[in-house]
Amino acid sequence: MIRSSVLFVSAALLLVACSTPTPVAVPKIKPPTPAAGPQADCAEVIGMTDDRCVAWTAPEPHSFLDVRRINSEDAGTGKALEWGPFYWCAAFEDDVLEKVLGSTDVVRVVTDRFYCQIAVRGHKASGMYNSLYVYLSPYEPGNPSFDWFAEPNPLGEVTEYRGRKVTRSTKLSTSTDERVQYSVEVPGLGSAWNFELSRRQYHPRVPFKADVADAERRTRLAVDALMACDQA
């Protein structure tokens, strides 16, 4: 009888040991390291100062969910940076930038801690300034500060794009300035992408006529890239 009890207890312990899941280690993520030395790339972003800007460096490849996790847990590195913007800037391959900004000769910078900005080099020489601005923000329905898709919406028209909630606006555009703004839901994660695509006349002697419809088409190509990023 005693032997049977011992065998029963041993079998029960073995069953518990076999059924207990092995803890999975959280991926170790090395933070991006801001570029050292003079921040020459920051001079390509209109209105930017060195104390608000660091040049981009490519981060290790990681999933969107991992990046959100480390961004929430730690303020990042360097000048009190968030890590996320380094990854958002990395979401745009050269072929996408060629279609969105018309060039692959661009600078990528992180500004004011939270924002990825990409601009075509040489606006002073060309007389045209082409840029893309993106950041990830909280999305909290019912909170006036973070409900990007409430209606009526002062930010613009609330609609859908590829099954996601979107707020779009072109109201800042003029005859010589294309400015398209989009806010795009990241479903189920309490987040939203915020974009601005801008192409404008930097020097008044350079002829330019805005084509807002084409600018919105190019904005959607950038949206597609980040939608692919947040599903990875």
Side-chain angles (χ1 to χ4, degrees), residues 66-90:
D66 281 342
V67 175
R68 283 185 81 249
R69 175 179 58 77
I70 65 164
N71 216 40
S72 298
E73 290 175 357
D74 198 299
T77 185
K79 299 180 181 179
L81 288 171
E82 298 291 319
W83 289 342
F86 286 89
Y87 292 89
W88 318 155
C89 273

Side-chain angles (χ1 to χ4, degrees), residues 98-169:
E98 178 72 44
K99 295 172 184 175
V100 172
L101 294 175
S103 177
T104 58
D105 186 15
V106 300
V107 297
R108 307 177 198 229
V109 297
V110 175
T111 60
D112 295 325
R113 295 180 57 197
F114 300 103
Y115 310 111
C116 159
Q117 290 189 251
I118 304 175
V120 176
R121 293 182 188 273
H123 64 272
K124 293 180 179 178
S126 70
M128 293 296 301
Y129 183 63
N130 296 351
S131 69
L132 175 65
Y133 168 99
V134 60
Y135 68 99
L136 184 72
S137 67
Y139 167 41
E140 300 175 6
N143 181 341
S145 298
F146 296 113
D147 191 347
W148 306 100
F149 313 108
E151 296 185 79
N153 197 308
L155 298 176
E157 175 194 7
V158 178
T159 181
E160 285 194 358
Y161 178 64
R162 300 194 188 280
R164 299 194 188 193
K165 295 178 183 177
V166 166
T167 299
R168 56 171 293 279
S169 174

